[in-house]
C-alpha cells in the first residue's frame, strides 16, 4: 500500500471587522470538508454572523505536514505585486498563530480543531426533518431534537416576555431602570 509523503490540512482564518485583533483559526484534515463549510461552521461555533475570511482566495490556505514533521503553509500565488505585498504583511502576523494552533491540535491527537457534534451545525437539516418527518439516522434524530429544543426555548422566552410586560412597572421604564440598578448594586 502506498503511503503519502505528506498530509494536507485546510486552514480558515477569520475575524470580525469590528474587532480585527481577535482571530479565529480552524484547521481540518483535507477531504473532510471544504473551506466554505469550515467558514460557515466558524460562524456557528463562535456565534458571530459578521465574521469575514482574512484570506478569501480561490484555493484558501493549505497546510502540508511531512512524514518527518516538517510543516509548510501553501497560499494562492498572486500575480499582482500589491496583492502579494498585502498577503505577505498578513502572513507575517497570522502564520505563527496558525502553526501554534496546529501544534496544539497535534499534541491533543486531533485531526480538526473544532470538535462540536455535527448535529449542532445541522439546524437547516432539523428544519427540513421537522416538516418532512422522515428520520433515517441517529444524526437526523439528534438534529430534529435540537431543532425542537430551540423552538421550545423560543416559546418559553416569548411567554416570559409577555408575563413581564404585564407587570406593574412595565409601562414605566424609569422605574424599571431604577429596580434593575438596585438589583445590580445589591440593594
Amino acid at each position: 500500500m502506498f503511503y503519502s509523503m505528506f498530509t494536507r490540512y485546510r486552514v480558515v482564518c477569520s475575524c470580525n471587522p469590528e474587532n480585527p485583533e481577535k482571530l479565529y483559526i480552524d484547521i481540518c484534515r483535507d477531504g473532510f470538508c471544504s473551506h466554505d463549510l469550515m467558514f460557515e461552521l466558524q460562524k456557528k461555533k463562535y456565534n458571530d454572523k459578521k465574521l469575514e475570511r482574512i484570506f478569501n482566495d480561490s484555493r484558501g490556505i493549505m497546510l502540508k505536514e511531512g512524514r518527518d514533521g516538517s510543516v509548510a503553509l501553501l497560499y494562492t500565488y498572486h500575480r499582482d505585486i500589491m496583492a502579494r505585498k498585502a498577503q505577505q504583511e498578513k502572513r507575517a502576523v497570522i502564520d505563527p498563530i496558525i502553526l501554534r494552533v496546529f501544534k496544539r491540535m497535534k499534541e491533543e491527537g486531533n485531526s480538526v480543531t473544532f470538535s462540536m457534534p455535527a448535529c449542532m451545525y445541522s439546524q437547516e437539516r432539523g428544519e427540513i426533518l421537522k416538516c418532512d418527518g422522515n428520520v433515517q439516522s441517529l444524526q437526523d434524530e439528534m438534529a430534529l431534537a435540537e431543532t425542537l429544543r430551540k423552538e421550545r426555548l423560543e416559546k418559553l422566552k416569548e411567554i416570559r416576555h409577555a408575563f413581564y410586560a404585564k407587570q406593574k412597572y412595565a409601562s414605566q421604564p424609569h422605574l424599571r431602570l431604577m429596580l434593575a440598578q438596585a438589583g445590580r448594586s445589591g440593594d
Side-chain angles (χ1 to χ4, degrees):
M1 181 173 197
F2 176 75
Y3 291 103
S4 177
M5 295 301 289
F6 57 88
T7 307
R8 293 173 64 111
Y9 294 87
R10 292 180 183 270
V11 180
V12 174
C13 301
S14 61
C15 70
N16 188 331
E18 296 169 2
N19 189 8
E21 60 272 353
K22 181 150 177 84
L23 299 174
Y24 300 103
I25 297 174
D26 282 306
I27 302 171
C28 180
R29 190 164 177 183
D30 192 21
F32 289 108
C33 63
S34 66
H35 284 95
D36 295 331
L37 178 62
M38 285 177 62
F39 180 60
E40 292 302 316
L41 294 177
Q42 271 189 338
K43 285 182 179 179
K44 292 180 182 179
K45 177 182 176 184
Y46 301 115
N47 200 16
D48 190 356
K49 296 190 186 300
K50 295 181 182 178
L51 283 181
E52 292 181 2
R53 287 171 64 175
I54 296 173
F55 295 101
N56 200 9
D57 299 330
S58 59
R59 267 188 29 215
I61 306 170
M62 299 298 286
L63 187 140
K64 187 169 74 170
E65 178 190 28
R67 279 188 173 176
D68 59 350
S70 62
V71 177
L73 289 167
L74 306 172
Y75 290 82
T76 302
Y77 180 77
H78 291 289
R79 290 185 179 177
D80 183 27
I81 295 171
M82 296 307 287
R84 258 187 283 161
K85 184 178 178 183
Q87 186 182 46
Q88 289 299 328
E89 291 171 359
K90 290 178 187 176
R91 283 188 67 179
V93 174
I94 294 173
D95 282 0
I97 300 170
I98 293 173
L99 295 175
R100 223 175 317 138
V101 169
F102 181 72
K103 183 179 176 186
R104 187 175 63 231
M105 180 187 82
K106 293 304 280 185
E107 287 173 354
E108 293 171 359
N110 296 328
S111 60
V112 296
T113 55
F114 47 87
S115 60
M116 295 172 68
C119 68
M120 297 293 285
Y121 301 119
S122 61
Q123 186 175 14
E124 297 84 14
R125 180 76 179 142
E127 294 291 331
I128 293 169
L129 289 170
K130 190 180 79 164
C131 296
D132 185 24
N134 188 9
V135 178
Q136 296 180 352
S137 68
L138 179 62
Q139 287 83 9
D140 289 349
E141 187 176 327
M142 291 173 69
L144 181 61
E146 182 68 20
T147 303
L148 293 174
R149 185 187 71 81
K150 286 182 180 179
E151 285 181 359
R152 193 183 86 239
L153 288 176
E154 288 299 320
K155 286 179 184 175
L156 288 173
K157 284 181 186 178
E158 289 174 11
I159 292 169
R160 186 176 344 138
H161 287 297
F163 172 77
Y164 285 115
K166 295 176 187 174
Q167 295 301 311
K168 183 177 180 182
Y169 299 111
S171 63
Q172 300 169 346
H174 64 285
L175 294 177
R176 190 171 13 154
L177 177 64
M178 184 183 70
L179 290 173
Q181 289 173 341
R184 288 190 188 102
S185 66
D187 292 340

